[in-house]
Amino acid sequence: MTDGTAGRFAPRLARLRDAMAAQDCDAFLSDHAELIAWISGYTVSETLYRAVIVPKTDNPCFVLRSIDAGPCRSGAWFSDVVTFDDHEEPHGAVADALTARGLADGRIGVDPMSYGHTVATARRLAELLPNARFVLMPGLSDGLRACKFADEIDAIATAAKIADRCMLGLEGQVRPGQTVRDVAAMAAAAQLRLGADDGGPGPILVSGGHGAGGHVDFLHGSGLDRTLMPGDILHAELTPRVGNYGARLMRPVFVGDPPAEALETFHRLVAFQDRQIAAMWPGGTARDVDELLRTAVLAAGLRAEYGNVTGYAMGLYARTPRPSDFSQSFHPAADFILEPGQVFHMYASARGVAVSEIVLVTEAAPRLLTNCPRQPIQG
């Protein structure tokens, strides 16, 4: 990578090293997929254990499978890449890399909440490095990335524009007789053409009509081969990523004439969510923001219960087992304070319809990064 690209990662490295210094760490061992990508600029699956070693002063070191060395050297801003063959032990390669850098008896920060840092990994590294002192820094991998830098916000905003255009592109294109798969294919192709990293459109499925009632589990339903019928409501959630930074956008798509109750529910949800988003100022408490929507929806009788969150963190999505980042999410017990630079997917759902936006917290005012009209899509 160029010096300019390396400079883009310097503030991220400085933020991590400030956290390391607070715990007197000689190095930090990152095995959390998003943090690896955030530090290095390169993401790779955990087919076999991989990690980035960040010393107190020197450049980081990537340890990964030899088959991934070429893409890693092209994608990462630093050149120190240590590899192992598939028959070799990955934890042993990481231990050897730490030892070669004089860290075998150092204080090494680790995040026990990283899904890459399993109990087996912790035990094996302790066996291989008996003189090292592993400093637990729980939640650091997500916490460091909570407030986005300008280049990260730009990437999310670009993904949000793709979501807007793709959603509007469904207007007038969804008809009875098509399958849900047909619509998902249209959305996937549009996202790729518009510049998304891949063709996964996100959840697209029938959510209402024909007895769907007030259920809200449609958000995570299935059924791509369902044939659309007049009166169906298609739940469309688009999830484009650009440079691994994601945006999300939900709108209901009405197949045929819109059901009157669904249309009324949608507009009430929008009104409740507008008040919620307007309250997303720095210094606000997440549970207070959550309550504005949750209480209104329940009081209006749109849902009998509200067990899910009303928003969650957005940003970097690496090759990871989690499709949504709940490290900061909005619910009755959420006690984190809103800060400038945080980006959230705020969503509301009831009676087979859903609406969502990407919201950036700023000092000036809450800013929508998605700009699709807050109206249902008429297929």
Side-chain angles (χ1 to χ4, degrees):
M1 285 191 174
T2 64
D3 289 342
T5 303
R8 180 163 62 91
F9 288 87
R12 308 182 188 189
L13 204 58
R15 189 181 285 181
L16 170 56
R17 282 177 168 154
D18 285 345
M20 291 166 54
Q23 297 293 326
D24 193 26
C25 291
D26 300 303
F28 182 82
L29 181 65
S30 173
D31 48 18
H32 182 287
E34 283 85 17
L35 189 63
I36 286 175
W38 189 76
I39 292 170
S40 70
Y42 176 69
T43 181
V44 64
S45 69
E46 197 177 356
T47 301
L48 292 173
Y49 184 71
R50 74 288 178 266
V52 171
I53 299 167
V54 182
K56 187 160 51 177
T57 53
D58 295 333
N59 275 344
C61 166
F62 217 126
V63 184
L64 78 171
R65 299 172 67 202
S66 56
I67 196 172
D68 294 319
C72 180
R73 290 192 173 98
S74 297
W77 63 267
F78 50 85
S79 59
D80 192 358
V81 177
V82 173
T83 66
F84 55 86
D85 291 336
D86 288 355
H87 67 278
E88 297 178 303
E89 184 192 9
H91 297 105
V94 170
D96 288 345
L98 287 163
T99 300
R101 286 153 185 77
L103 296 166
D105 58 356
R107 289 176 57 85
I108 302 170
V110 295
D111 181 357
M113 294 176 67
S114 162
Y115 39 79
H117 201 78
T118 64
V119 172
T121 288
R123 287 175 177 170
R124 185 57 181 148
L125 290 174
E127 292 170 357
L128 293 166
L129 298 164
N131 295 322
R133 286 154 290 174
F134 291 96
V135 181
L136 301 184
M137 304 172 75
L140 184 69
S141 302
D142 288 326
L144 287 172
R145 302 179 298 105
C147 295
K148 275 58 179 180
F149 292 105
D151 61 296
E152 298 183 276
I153 294 169
D154 289 344
I156 298 170
T158 300
K161 289 177 182 177
I162 292 175
D164 290 335
R165 292 180 62 187
C166 184
M167 187 69 78
L168 290 172
L170 295 178
E171 187 82 36
Q173 301 300 311
V174 181
R175 303 178 182 89
Q178 294 175 323
T179 65
V180 177
R181 188 182 299 276
D182 293 332
V183 181
M186 281 193 289
Q191 289 185 178
L192 279 174
R193 285 196 301 269
L194 292 169
D197 291 350
D198 52 41
I204 295 181
L205 47 107
V206 173
S207 65
H210 305 294
H215 297 298
V216 294
D217 54 1
F218 66 85
L219 293 173
H220 293 156
S222 60
L224 285 174
D225 294 317
R226 161 81 179 269
T227 298
L228 297 175
M229 301 175 63
D232 276 340
I233 303 171
L234 196 62
H235 169 64
E237 178 180 359
L238 304 180
T239 61
R241 292 180 299 114
V242 173
N244 293 314
Y245 283 86
R248 298 193 173 190
L249 180 65
M250 293 182 187
R251 294 289 187 273
V253 179
F254 293 145
V255 183
D257 293 333
E261 182 186 78
L263 194 58
E264 179 188 3
T265 297
F266 178 85
H267 288 302
R268 295 183 79 180
L269 288 177
V270 167
F272 297 152
Q273 191 181 64
D274 282 345
R275 289 199 288 270
Q276 182 189 38
I277 292 172
M280 295 178 66
W281 287 80
T285 304
R287 62 172 170 264
D288 295 334
V289 172
D290 172 81
E291 184 180 11
L292 289 170
L293 177 74
R294 185 181 303 272
T295 302
V297 170
L298 292 173
L302 299 183
R303 292 175 63 159
E305 56 186 19
Y306 214 128
N308 59 289
V309 303
T310 63
Y312 53 85
M314 283 298 298
L316 183 62
Y317 285 86
R319 295 190 180 179
T320 167
R322 65 178 183 185
S324 300
D325 182 356
F326 275 29
S327 59
Q328 290 186 320
S329 56
F330 293 79
H331 54 77
D335 59 0
F336 69 90
I337 304 299
L338 272 63
E339 300 178 62
Q342 292 172 326
V343 182
F344 298 103
H345 179 221
M346 306 303 295
Y347 71 104
S349 59
R351 295 181 176 176
V353 299
V355 59
S356 77
E357 305 292 346
I358 300 298
V359 182
L360 169 66
V361 180
T362 78
E363 291 284 6
R367 175 184 157 201
L368 292 183
L369 297 184
T370 41
N371 289 286
C372 183
R374 287 171 69 71
Q375 298 287 338
I377 301 297
Q378 181 61 54

